Amino acid sequence: MSLDTRVDGPADSPVGVSGLLAPAHRIRSAIETVITGKPEVVRIALTVLLAEGHLLIEDVPGVGKTMLAKALGRAVDCAVSRVQFTPDLLPSDITGVSVYHQQRREFEFRPGPVFANIVLGDEINRASPKTQSALLECMEEGQVSVDGVTRRLERPFMVIATQNPVDTEVEGTYPLPEAQRDRFMARVSVGYPDPRAELDMIDAHSVRSPLDRLAPVTTVAEVNSMIERVRRVHVAPVIKRYALDLVTATRTTPALLLGASPRATLHLVRAARAYAALDGRDYVLPDDLQALAVPVLAHRLLPGAAAHRSPADVVGELVADVPIPTHG
C-alpha cells in the first residue's frame, strides 16, 4: 500500500518488535514440524496468542485441528490443559468446584482445567449451552467466579476450541451461541493438505507422532514480553477508521442478518498489531486488516434469509469494496 500509516505516530517511541521475531520464528518452526503445509494457519494461531485472543478451529474430522492446538501448547513451556466436551460435561468440570474438607471442616477449592495458560476445548459444540457458558467469563475477563469468589487466571491465557462444521454435525451437538462465538478472536480452517505435504506427513507420522518429539522452544515470561511489544505497535488514526468502516459495512449490507459487534472491531485492531509485529513492523498497514478480515469477522456473522453466499464470501466482497480512508 502507498498510504503512509505512520503519520501522527510516535516518531521517537520504537517498540522493538525485532525482539519478538526470533522467539516467534522458533514457535512457528516447532508447530510446523507437526502441521505441515499450512503456514498461514500457523501464523493466525500465533497472531491470536500474541494479541491475547482465543482461537476457534473449525473443520472436518481428521485434518489436524487438535494437533494444531496441542503443538502450540507444547511449543511454549507453560501450563496446558485439555477438556473433551461431551453432552454430560458440567460447568464445574471446567471452572472447578469447592469440596468440603472433613478434617479441616471447611470448603476447599479445586481448580478446574481452565486454570492453565492454554486450554484446549475439543469438540466444544458437543457440550450443552449451559456448559459452554462456563467459558464466557474467563475468555472475556481473564477470571473465574465460583461460590462468590473471583480468581484471576495466569497470563498468557488462551482458549483454543475445535469443532466440526455445523452443516456436517449430527445429533448431540449444540451450535455455539452468538455470545460465545463473539469471544473468539479468530476462526481458522486447517483444510486438507496438498499431496506433497500429505506424503511428508506419512513419513513423519508413520512410526510415532511428531508431538512426542516436540520440546518447548520458549517460556511464559518470553511470551508475555512478546505480548507487551505487540501492545505498543502503532495504529494510525486512518487505520483505525478503516477497521471501523470494514466492521460497519457488515452491519449495513443486506446480505447479512447480523453484523459484527464492537468487540469485533477491537479484536480486528489487536490482531492486526500482532500480525504486523510478526512481519517485523511497529505499525499496522491496511494489508494487515485485509488479511485478517475473514478469520476475525466471518464467524460472528449471520447470513440473511435469502443469502446465497457464506459470511466469509460476504466479508471478502466488503474488503474489496470498502475504500481505504485518506488523509484530509
Side-chain angles (χ1 to χ4, degrees):
M1 292 287 178
S2 60
L3 180 64
D4 180 7
T5 61
R6 304 190 71 177
V7 173
D8 301 326
D12 57 351
S13 302
V15 300
V17 294
S18 59
L20 64 74
L21 292 180
H25 177 73
R26 294 198 304 269
I27 296 172
R28 290 177 64 175
S29 298
I31 297 174
E32 287 174 354
T33 63
V34 178
I35 305 297
T36 58
K38 300 293 178 181
E40 190 56 31
V41 172
V42 174
R43 179 173 180 177
I44 293 294
L46 185 53
T47 295
V48 172
L49 172 66
L50 298 183
E52 299 179 278
H54 309 286
L55 182 67
L56 179 62
I57 309 174
E58 181 181 288
D59 216 321
V60 297
V63 295
K65 301 187 299 295
T66 304
M67 291 285 282
L68 172 60
K70 286 183 175 180
L72 178 59
R74 292 202 180 187
V76 181
D77 188 11
C78 64
V80 181
S81 65
R82 179 181 180 274
V83 182
Q84 179 63 55
F85 280 72
T86 56
D88 60 347
L89 193 72
L90 298 175
S92 58
D93 294 329
I94 298 175
T95 59
V97 64
S98 294
V99 178
Y100 188 71
H101 197 285
Q102 291 281 0
Q103 294 179 336
R104 293 201 298 262
R105 295 186 178 182
E106 62 182 18
F107 282 94
E108 174 184 317
F109 179 70
R110 295 184 179 177
V114 77
F115 286 87
N117 298 113
I118 296 179
V119 180
L120 167 58
D122 219 353
E123 297 185 298
I124 186 173
N125 56 337
R126 291 196 177 276
S128 68
K130 179 180 180 180
T131 301
Q132 292 178 17
S133 67
L135 289 171
L136 294 179
E137 180 185 14
C138 65
M139 291 176 69
E140 181 65 18
E141 302 174 47
Q143 64 184 32
V144 174
S145 298
V146 178
D147 296 333
V149 179
T150 298
R151 296 173 173 84
R152 298 294 301 177
L153 299 174
E154 296 294 327
R155 292 181 53 233
F157 174 72
M158 180 181 184
V159 173
I160 305 176
T162 72
Q163 70 169 3
N164 296 333
V166 174
D167 56 2
T168 67
E169 289 292 351
V170 293
E171 287 186 49
T173 59
Y174 305 84
L176 297 182
E178 289 82 0
Q180 182 76 65
R181 294 200 309 269
D182 199 41
R183 280 167 168 76
F184 286 100
M185 176 173 283
R187 179 188 64 182
V188 296
S189 296
V190 178
Y192 293 113
D194 60 53
R196 179 180 294 275
E198 195 158 2
L199 282 172
D200 293 340
M201 183 184 69
I202 293 173
D203 292 334
H205 293 251
S206 58
V207 177
R208 57 185 296 195
S209 171
L211 275 174
D212 297 336
R213 301 188 297 271
L214 182 56
V217 295
T218 188
T219 63
V220 166
E222 190 167 42
V223 170
N224 283 328
S225 176
M226 296 165 70
I227 289 172
E228 289 299 326
R229 293 171 187 268
V230 165
R231 285 179 174 180
R232 299 194 296 271
V233 170
H234 179 56
V235 184
V238 68
I239 298 298
K240 296 175 185 176
R241 181 66 200 185
Y242 183 45
L244 179 59
D245 288 348
L246 287 173
V247 174
T248 301
T250 68
R251 304 168 186 166
T252 57
T253 175
L256 296 173
L257 184 64
L258 176 67
S261 66
R263 184 188 286 118
T265 311
L266 298 176
H267 282 181
L268 183 59
V269 173
R270 282 167 48 189
R273 280 192 168 103
Y275 202 81
L278 290 174
D279 265 348
R281 284 182 281 108
D282 61 357
Y283 56 94
V284 174
L285 290 173
D287 293 11
D288 302 320
L289 297 177
Q290 292 172 352
L292 292 166
V294 170
V296 172
L297 301 180
H299 64 286
R300 311 167 193 263
L301 312 176
L302 291 180
H308 301 289
R309 295 164 294 168
S310 69
D313 291 336
V314 174
V315 172
E317 293 172 5
L318 294 177
V319 168
D321 293 341
V322 174
I324 301 174
T326 57
H327 295 97

